[in-house]
């Protein structure tokens, strides 16, 4: 098979994850040990060694503190996309607060790389039926695609309201919203032992036996579907400080961190990956930076 797949990374600190979030910890973010620079540089080195290219959803909070890191990501030929600014779940934001968050992150990133930022991923994949008001806001703020809808979820109703059925390209869907069209690139799912599993977080990449994971991914490819793989930068950092939290959260976060880098290198030898931007480009008309308000969806 010669399918092109997408590899994505959320670039955030180990203490940003939702499972360990609290108002108290949030107040201390600036005092906690920053490790995102070294883990992302490690990630860039693995990708360079294996000739892979990816989409990096960078948190605005991180970009402000590590501007050269964001520039290095772009200079290595990867796509810089937005993970929002403050890593707040959309389910606890108002539409105006969400708009402010995605606008702020996009502005910071574009100033750093001098190029348009087209993609957005919500913290913990929190665009659901209840938060589908986020789609037209993303279009109005100049985003061309989103990668935040949890797999196996029906499309939020706002996305279906106009123009009938959404278009599809592989696992990507072209969503009509009240503000224009938006591509959705949801994380892939795989069927393992009769159970459909998401490739969005939850440590699947580290928890499953590698042979089983690889066979499952190959099956998706054989079925003709491109993969959208999702990892977080801290997953390449086995030495990160351990935080207090629920036992299940700690298990998901810390188990087999030492295996991520080797597995990632193997994966890059098995599949051909491109950034989401490049996968969508052949079927989109990308309008010039600054005037982008709508994606024309074809295919
Ligand atoms: Zn995140």
């Amino acid at each position: 098979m010669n399918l092109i797949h997408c590899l994505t990374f959320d670039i955030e600190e180990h203490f940003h994850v939702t499972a360990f979030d609290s108002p108290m910890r949030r107040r201390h973010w600036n005092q906690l040990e920053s490790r995102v620079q070294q883990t992302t540089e490690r990630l860039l080195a693995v990708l360079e060694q294996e000739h892979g290219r990816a989409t990096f959803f960078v948190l605005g909070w991180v970009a402000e503190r590590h501007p050269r890191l964001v520039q290095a990501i772009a200079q290595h030929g990867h796509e810089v996309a937005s993970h929002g600014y403050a890593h707040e779940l959309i389910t606890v934001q108002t539409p105006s607060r969400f708009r402010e968050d995605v606008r702020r992150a996009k502005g910071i990133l574009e100033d750093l790389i001098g190029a348009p930022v087209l993609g957005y991923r919500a913290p913990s994949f929190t665009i659901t039926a209840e938060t589908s008001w986020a789609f037209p806001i993303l279009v109005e703020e100049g985003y061309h695609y989103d990668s935040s809808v949890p797999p196996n979820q029906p499309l939020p109703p706002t996305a279906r309201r106009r123009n009938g059925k959404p278009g599809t390209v592989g696992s990507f869907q072209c969503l009509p919203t009240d503000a224009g069209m938006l591509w959705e690139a949801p994380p892939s799912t795989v069927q393992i032992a009769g159970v459909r599993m998401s490739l969005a977080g939850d440590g699947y990449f580290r928890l499953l036996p590698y042979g089983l994971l690889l066979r499952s991914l190959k099956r998706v490819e054989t079925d003709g579907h491109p993969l959208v793989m999702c990892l977080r930068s801290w997953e390449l950092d086995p030495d990160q400080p351990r935080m207090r939290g629920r036992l299940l959260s700690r298990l998901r976060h810390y188990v087999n961190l030492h295996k991520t880098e080797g597995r990632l290198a193997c994966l890059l030898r098995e599949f051909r990956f491109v950034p989401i931007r490049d996968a969508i480009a052949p079927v989109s008309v990308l309008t010039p930076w600054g005037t982008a308000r709508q994606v024309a969806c074809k295919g």
Side-chain angles (χ1 to χ4, degrees):
M1 297 289 291
N2 203 19
L3 268 182
I4 295 173
H5 306 282
C6 294
L7 180 59
T8 72
F9 301 98
D10 294 353
I11 303 302
E12 59 194 25
E13 295 281 9
H14 60 102
F15 50 79
H16 285 145
V17 295
T18 303
F20 299 129
D21 195 15
S22 72
M24 163 93 95
R25 186 162 280 145
R26 207 166 259 272
R27 280 197 293 277
H28 290 92
W29 276 3
N30 274 323
Q31 282 94 59
L32 297 172
E33 182 184 350
S34 172
R35 300 178 68 86
V36 71
Q37 174 100 22
Q38 64 194 69
T39 51
T40 306
E41 283 173 356
R42 191 67 221 129
L43 192 47
L44 290 173
V46 174
L47 288 166
E48 184 161 17
Q49 186 187 308
E50 303 299 339
H51 312 290
R53 289 194 308 127
T55 295
F56 288 64
F57 291 99
V58 184
L59 196 66
W61 189 93
V62 167
E64 270 185 344
R65 287 156 180 80
H66 301 278
R68 288 196 182 159
L69 182 65
V70 178
Q71 290 164 339
I73 293 168
Q75 283 157 7
H76 276 77
H78 305 294
E79 178 185 13
V80 172
S82 163
H83 195 30
Y85 181 82
H87 212 267
E88 280 188 309
L89 301 184
I90 301 186
T91 43
V92 301
Q93 295 188 56
T94 62
S96 61
R97 190 153 147 187
F98 173 74
R99 185 187 294 279
E100 202 178 297
D101 183 273
V102 298
R103 182 183 291 175
R104 186 176 179 186
K106 194 172 194 287
I108 293 167
L109 295 168
E110 289 181 343
D111 283 350
L112 286 171
I113 63 171
V117 165
L118 305 178
Y120 172 76
R121 171 167 295 151
S124 301
F125 303 93
T126 42
I127 296 191
T128 63
E130 289 72 39
T131 53
S132 59
W133 44 258
F135 283 126
I137 293 176
L138 287 173
V139 177
E140 285 163 5
E141 293 302 319
Y143 288 94
H144 287 202
Y145 74 85
D146 171 73
S147 183
S148 309
V149 174
N152 296 331
Q153 286 237 351
L155 282 175
T158 298
R160 299 182 182 187
R161 196 182 299 161
R162 294 194 334 172
N163 303 336
K165 274 170 54 176
T168 58
V169 175
S171 57
F172 295 170
Q173 300 199 326
C174 188
L175 309 178
T177 81
D178 288 345
M181 309 301 282
L182 184 75
W183 283 97
E184 176 61 34
S188 303
T189 58
V190 291
Q191 187 91 14
I192 296 178
V195 179
R196 187 147 288 279
M197 291 185 59
S198 160
L199 296 188
D202 289 341
Y204 73 90
F205 193 72
R206 294 169 281 124
L207 285 162
L208 292 171
Y210 183 71
L212 178 62
L213 176 66
L214 186 59
R215 281 198 301 280
S216 307
L217 296 176
K218 289 278 182 189
R219 205 158 48 234
V220 175
E221 183 177 61
T222 306
D223 290 344
H225 299 300
L227 295 164
V228 177
M229 307 283 299
C230 310
L231 292 169
R232 282 70 57 89
S233 48
W234 49 261
E235 290 190 88
L236 272 82
D237 183 11
D239 300 323
Q240 64 191 269
R242 270 37 180 178
M243 287 182 290
R244 282 196 221 114
R246 289 186 306 131
L247 185 63
L248 185 58
S249 300
R250 287 173 55 81
L251 175 70
R252 281 179 178 162
H253 189 97
Y254 296 125
V255 75
N256 290 346
L257 288 170
H258 63 285
K259 291 187 176 177
T260 310
E261 186 174 323
R263 287 184 170 200
L264 178 60
C266 291
L267 199 71
L268 285 159
R269 285 173 218 140
E270 293 287 345
F271 300 95
R272 186 176 162 221
F273 292 105
V274 299
I276 294 177
R277 171 192 64 194
D278 295 10
I280 287 174
V283 287
S284 301
V285 176
L286 299 179
T287 52
W289 185 22
T291 61
R293 281 291 177 271
Q294 184 163 323
V295 179
C297 303
K298 298 177 179 174

